Amino acid sequence: MSADKKYTDSAIEIKTLYTEADLPGDPGKPGEFPFTRGIQPDGYRSKHWTMRQYAGFSTAEESNLRYHYLISQGVTGLSVAFDLPTQIGYDSDHPMAEGEVGKVGVAIDSLEDMEALFSGISLERVSTSMTINATGFILLALYVALAKKQGADLGRINGTIQNDILKEYAARGTYIYPPQPSMRIITDIFEWCSVNLPKWNTISISGYHMREAGCTAVQEIAFTLANGKAYVKAALEKGLDPDVFGKRLSFFFNAHNNLFEEAAKFRAARKMWAQIMKEFGATDQKAMMLRFHAQTGGSTLTARQPLNNIVRVSMQSLAAVLGGTQSLHTNGYDEALNLPTEEAAAIALRTQQIIAFESGAADTVDPLAGSYFVESLTAALEEEAWQLIRQIDELGGSIAAIEQGFIQQEIAQSAYTYQQKVEEGEKIIVGVNRFTHEESNRAPGFKIDDAVRQLQTEKLVALRSRRDKEACNQALQQIIESVQQQQNLMPAVINAVECYCTLGEISDALRTVLGEYHPSV
């Protein structure tokens, strides 16, 4: 690339000057198909985005204290992080869990842990997002079982499970079962929730983790929407109505550093998804709306000069708001070093509140609309993303593209190219490869004690000694039979968690009939 030229992070050339001649056409009105300018006609004037903080660590009891603190500080939605054993279907006392219990999220082994996690919190009054995929159906069952114990009206329960297994194969790695059985579980969730949990977002189709793995903004749009197409096809093959399940599909995007490219990315993705759903036969406009949660870029946080991350998070949050997000999580400035401290979490939340109440960014709908630069950039991102989606379609769709390693290779190449630019100084990272100085102190640490595993093990021993063993065995057998008889899994899994079967036991029961996925290199 020529040194005298400027490019976005997706290698889209930026001209020195944009004029009316660069406008691609009328972007339409907010609240109207294809929703380029947003899904609400009045933007944030009647309601701000849901302000979430991603939290979960150690035991359920410890995380519960953080949740109460966040709620007291003005959080309007909880976002639960789970530890790795929970994510990949192992109880805390399993050998594979050693060294990981409670480390990157909260350990949840049973309904008892779920009860402790939300102690003193009414599930009818809080929106909960759970970042969980391979075991998402079990965590949803636990949440439903807890709501029933609270006497809640399931028709009023709202929230989201990520439940996006395709990006796990492509970028993140917390999968258990092979792709086809995993897709069957996901469509079972679509089907069950449409009847029993109508306000629940049954999937959060995620570009976030692929962006964290190194893909560009163009690739984030294309890979996310291509995965979305795969889920819609699977639901249609199950006989589900796109005007019903389409309303409960949601998305999860990254908010990176390039302010204008990121805002344009959200606008382009919204327009493209509306067109995709229309082609799939949706006629209800709400089923064509791309509703999304955004999180600021974890991979952009630097361990050097960590206070600079407050500025990065502010800029990324503004991009998400200018792009019309429905929900936002802001990272703590210290997360390149450790789990966020209470102080860092508070600053991250205050960042959202300052943007909402002081910046003026929320006062009018899609304030960047009509900008020669932003409209041109929106169109360029859309065009390049469509080209990539067409490549994936030619390979047979997302599942085939993942099985062939296409998406993984594209992400790996982009990550390598980006890092090469950083190493060579072409890409400037303030405080890392430019404007550095010797640091006298670092951010305060927040580490999880390895004793958490022993605490969880003791709770599991006590639980197994007092529960009805025969009822548990029957419940686990019922799960296996549901798979074999092609029945919807959710009723059997809910019954199992209500019998206090553990997450690991339920995962293992399914391993016996579905097998485990081992990717070819």
Side-chain angles (χ1 to χ4, degrees):
M1 293 182 183
S2 174
D4 61 348
K5 292 185 176 182
K6 298 288 185 182
Y7 299 87
T8 70
D9 290 340
S10 294
I12 296 171
E13 186 177 348
I14 303 172
K15 299 197 298 185
T16 302
L17 176 68
Y18 287 80
T19 68
E20 188 175 357
D22 295 296
L23 290 175
D26 183 3
K29 294 181 180 179
E32 295 182 6
F33 181 90
F35 311 107
T36 309
R37 300 196 59 194
I39 63 172
Q40 298 295 343
D42 60 351
Y44 301 122
R45 287 175 71 97
S46 58
K47 181 183 179 183
H48 284 119
W49 59 92
T50 301
M51 298 182 191
R52 298 188 186 276
Q53 286 306 110
Y54 189 45
F57 55 88
S58 186
T59 62
E61 290 80 3
E62 287 290 323
S63 291
N64 176 259
L65 294 175
R66 175 66 66 90
Y67 293 161
H68 279 284
Y69 169 74
L70 290 171
I71 290 170
S72 75
Q73 295 300 303
V75 156
T76 53
L78 297 176
S79 187
V80 184
F82 299 97
D83 70 0
L84 281 175
T86 302
Q87 292 182 49
I88 55 178
Y90 294 117
D91 288 333
S92 296
D93 60 352
H94 193 283
M96 289 290 287
E98 188 171 355
E100 293 293 345
V101 177
K103 291 293 178 70
V104 299
V106 62
I108 298 294
D109 292 320
S110 72
L111 183 54
E112 282 192 349
D113 286 330
M114 207 66 164
E115 291 164 354
L117 186 66
F118 290 99
S119 178
I121 299 172
S122 170
L123 301 192
E124 274 195 13
R125 297 182 180 181
V126 67
S127 169
T128 303
S129 172
M130 296 188 283
T131 302
I132 196 74
N133 297 281
T135 55
F137 65 105
I138 303 175
L139 270 300
L140 177 60
L142 288 165
Y143 198 83
V144 168
L146 177 59
K148 289 166 66 177
K149 289 195 74 170
Q150 289 186 356
D153 177 0
L154 295 186
R156 296 177 60 185
I157 297 296
N158 72 88
T160 306
I161 45 170
Q162 192 162 99
N163 198 29
D164 174 11
I165 202 64
L166 291 179
K167 64 93 175 51
E168 296 297 323
Y169 302 119
R172 193 162 174 265
T174 63
Y175 45 74
I176 302 174
Y177 315 111
Q180 293 299 339
S182 294
M183 293 293 282
R184 174 259 169 95
I185 294 172
I186 289 168
T187 55
D188 277 0
I189 293 170
F190 288 1
E191 182 180 50
W192 187 86
C193 287
S194 68
V195 176
N196 299 281
L197 214 63
K199 290 189 175 181
W200 192 265
N201 297 319
T202 52
I203 193 168
S204 179
I205 305 162
S206 174
Y208 183 88
H209 301 94
M210 292 184 283
R211 191 66 181 274
E212 289 293 282
C215 77
T216 66
V218 165
Q219 290 171 329
E220 184 183 358
I221 298 171
F223 297 156
T224 306
L225 300 192
N227 286 350
K229 288 178 67 176
Y231 293 123
V232 172
K233 286 180 180 177
L236 292 174
E237 288 169 3
K238 199 179 183 73
L240 303 183
D241 184 347
D243 282 333
V244 176
F245 73 79
K247 296 176 186 177
R248 302 324 311 167
L249 303 177
S250 64
F251 290 80
F252 177 22
F253 287 111
N254 207 307
H256 244 247
N257 281 336
N258 193 312
L259 177 69
F260 296 109
E261 181 172 50
E262 292 301 291
K265 176 187 76 179
F266 301 129
R267 300 172 87 248
R270 201 160 38 230
K271 180 182 179 184
M272 293 171 70
W273 185 247
Q275 294 169 339
I276 288 169
M277 284 303 290
K278 188 173 184 178
E279 290 172 4
F280 274 125
T283 57
D284 190 322
Q285 295 235 339
K286 288 187 177 180
M288 303 178 198
M289 293 178 177
L290 184 146
R291 297 170 299 113
F292 73 97
H293 169 72
Q295 180 176 339
T296 56
S299 62
T300 69
L301 301 177
T302 62
R304 297 180 191 175
Q305 300 181 24
L307 290 176
N308 293 346
N309 295 328
I310 296 175
V311 181
R312 292 186 178 99
V313 169
S314 300
M315 182 168 56
Q316 294 161 4
S317 303
L318 182 60
V321 170
L322 292 173
T325 189
Q326 279 65 64
S327 171
L328 178 61
H329 163 78
T330 33
N331 293 328
Y333 72 86
D334 55 355
E335 288 190 57
L337 298 164
N338 44 245
L339 289 169
T341 60
E342 198 168 90
E343 177 196 46
I347 291 171
L349 175 60
R350 294 290 177 259
T351 300
Q352 294 199 49
Q353 293 166 334
I354 289 168
I355 291 173
F357 298 104
E358 296 186 28
S359 74
D363 292 347
T364 189
V365 189
D366 191 20
L368 296 180
S371 158
Y372 302 146
F373 177 42
V374 172
E375 295 293 1
S376 176
L377 195 51
T378 300
L381 286 161
E382 180 188 356
E383 181 182 356
E384 294 206 10
W386 277 128
Q387 289 178 11
L388 196 47
I389 287 175
R390 283 192 287 270
Q391 277 186 269
I392 293 168
D393 286 344
E394 288 171 2
L395 292 171
S398 271
I399 296 176
I402 289 167
E403 290 174 340
Q404 294 171 50
F406 172 77
I407 292 176
Q408 298 93 311
Q409 180 59 34
E410 288 284 304
I411 294 171
Q413 182 59 53
S414 293
Y416 175 77
T417 301
Y418 179 87
Q419 188 58 34
Q420 196 173 38
K421 290 178 181 178
V422 173
E423 300 284 344
E424 295 173 355
E426 182 182 342
K427 179 69 178 177
I428 296 172
I429 308 296
V430 174
V432 175
N433 63 359
R434 187 80 69 87
F435 313 113
T436 60
H437 61 75
E438 189 173 336
E439 298 177 58
S440 57
N441 54 29
R442 300 178 76 84
F446 180 31
K447 304 295 182 185
I448 301 300
D449 196 313
D450 285 330
V452 170
R453 185 172 188 242
Q454 182 59 35
L455 289 173
Q456 286 296 113
T457 298
E458 291 170 1
K459 288 198 291 184
L460 280 166
V461 169
L463 172 68
R464 290 172 182 143
S465 69
R466 65 174 176 269
R467 67 186 183 180
D468 186 330
K469 185 177 180 180
E470 182 59 31
C472 285
N473 290 337
Q474 290 177 2
L476 294 172
Q477 183 59 35
Q478 185 183 351
I479 290 173
I480 293 171
E481 290 173 0
S482 292
V483 174
Q484 294 170 335
Q485 296 169 14
Q486 294 295 307
Q487 297 172 346
N488 191 298
L489 269 175
M490 287 305 297
V493 177
I494 292 170
N495 176 59
V497 300
E498 289 178 331
C499 291
Y500 289 89
C501 294
T502 68
L503 175 135
E505 290 166 346
I506 295 169
S507 299
D508 283 345
L510 283 171
R511 281 184 175 98
T512 63
V513 286
L514 300 180
E516 290 188 276
Y517 179 65
H518 300 286
S520 57
V521 178

